[in-house]
Amino acid sequence: MLSFLRRSYLNFSFMNPQYCCLSRNFSAALPPLLPVQLPSRMETHLWYVVPDEVKSAPLLSKYMELLPQSERDHVLGFRGDQLQKSALLARTLVRTTIARYQVDGHLDPRSLRFKRNIHGKPEVEWETKDGFCPPPLQFNISHTSSLVACGVTINSLIGIDVEEKRRRTKNNILAFAKRYFTAHEVEHLNAIPDSELQQQEFIKLWTLKEAYVKALGKGFSSSPFNTFTIRVNTAAQESF
């Protein structure tokens, strides 16, 4: 399940029609990056990759070459080939996506540098040059073993979260929700009689909350899940 929020932090996939969804088709070679225009102030670009569709070992090695040593070490620090592959594709997707926008007049994904704010949210560290005014580009990334997604906006905060749709919690859904969610959200979940639908709605609320916190960029300790509420509209409640 994918949730990404911006501006008023609504569920973007349902509430904001002005977005562009772009799949990266990773081929067996590294062709020149085709440039794209930056999103307008009212647009969000969503780029995604399905890891299972990237099967070429030589291609993955080429992607690794796009990364500086520190990022390579981070990728190799994950346990298991699947986790390493998802982490590699996530970092490759960010670099190649931002490079496509031709910011600062070049398309070399290797030249991009990143930093983290005081709460750990990644940002582009633009080179300071005479006459160069970096755009207010915002991006956010999330990945699982089955999907890697990157959202890009201009002059607008964005948060994105990806979770496995069939993910199961070890705890009782309502008991777990009471620990992390607000009273309104717990009441909403409690009103769903079907356990499968309740599980799906729990995952949806969780991804929306994670996306909201990531958009704020303040870290989970500064924005606990039980300090804000995701409101469910009446039509959605009646559907249960």
Side-chain angles (χ1 to χ4, degrees):
M1 180 169 287
L2 169 68
S3 293
F4 54 111
L5 291 89
R6 55 162 286 171
R7 297 187 183 278
S8 56
Y9 308 107
L10 298 173
N11 187 339
F12 184 89
S13 58
F14 295 102
M15 302 301 295
N16 191 335
Q18 295 181 302
Y19 71 96
C20 181
C21 193
L22 304 158
S23 171
R24 286 300 318 278
N25 293 319
F26 289 105
S27 62
L30 290 178
L33 294 174
L34 297 177
V36 295
Q37 290 186 337
L38 286 166
S40 72
R41 292 179 181 270
M42 295 301 294
E43 289 181 328
T44 294
H45 287 180
L46 175 65
W47 300 78
Y48 69 93
V49 179
V50 178
D52 286 346
E53 295 179 357
V54 185
K55 301 177 180 180
S56 170
L59 179 61
L60 292 172
S61 296
K62 292 178 181 178
Y63 291 154
M64 189 71 81
E65 294 173 3
L66 296 178
L67 309 183
Q69 189 60 50
S70 59
E71 291 189 21
R72 296 180 194 181
D73 293 341
H74 179 81
V75 168
L76 296 175
F78 285 92
R79 293 184 178 180
D81 293 341
Q82 279 297 106
L83 290 177
Q84 289 184 10
K85 181 179 180 181
S86 294
L88 171 60
L89 291 177
R91 291 177 178 270
T92 301
L93 180 63
V94 168
R95 287 182 171 274
T96 55
T97 294
I98 294 177
R100 284 177 180 272
Y101 293 110
Q102 300 187 79
V103 176
D104 198 18
H106 60 73
L107 291 173
D108 187 359
R110 297 176 181 83
S111 66
L112 290 169
R113 296 182 180 276
F114 298 90
K115 62 180 180 180
R116 293 183 178 273
N117 67 13
I118 59 175
H119 301 292
K121 185 176 183 179
E123 302 172 345
V124 180
E125 186 175 16
W126 303 108
E127 293 184 17
T128 56
K129 297 180 180 179
D130 293 339
F132 172 63
C133 182
L137 184 147
Q138 300 279 335
F139 75 93
N140 202 233
I141 188 82
S142 184
H143 61 90
T144 65
S145 60
S146 59
L147 183 69
V148 180
C150 177
V152 179
T153 60
I154 289 294
N155 205 32
S156 181
L157 298 177
I158 182 170
I160 187 168
D161 183 57
V162 177
E163 297 287 349
E164 298 289 349
K165 193 172 182 179
R166 294 181 176 84
R167 173 183 172 184
R168 288 288 182 267
T169 59
K170 297 179 180 179
N171 308 84
N172 176 273
I173 288 291
L174 292 178
F176 196 73
K178 288 177 181 178
R179 181 178 179 184
Y180 292 101
F181 289 3
T182 64
H184 170 84
E185 294 160 344
V186 173
E187 182 181 349
H188 167 64
L189 291 173
N190 193 40
I192 303 174
D194 185 276
S195 59
E196 184 65 26
L197 290 176
Q198 187 184 74
Q199 171 76 23
Q200 293 178 13
E201 191 67 6
F202 172 83
I203 295 298
K204 184 174 77 174
L205 287 172
W206 187 275
T207 58
L208 286 168
K209 281 179 168 284
E210 285 220 36
Y212 175 78
V213 171
K214 292 177 69 178
L216 294 180
K218 295 182 178 180
F220 294 99
S221 60
S222 300
S223 305
F225 280 4
N226 60 6
T227 60
F228 62 92
T229 298
I230 302 294
R231 294 285 176 181
V232 180
N233 60 46
T234 304
Q237 289 178 317
E238 290 176 351
S239 69
F240 295 118

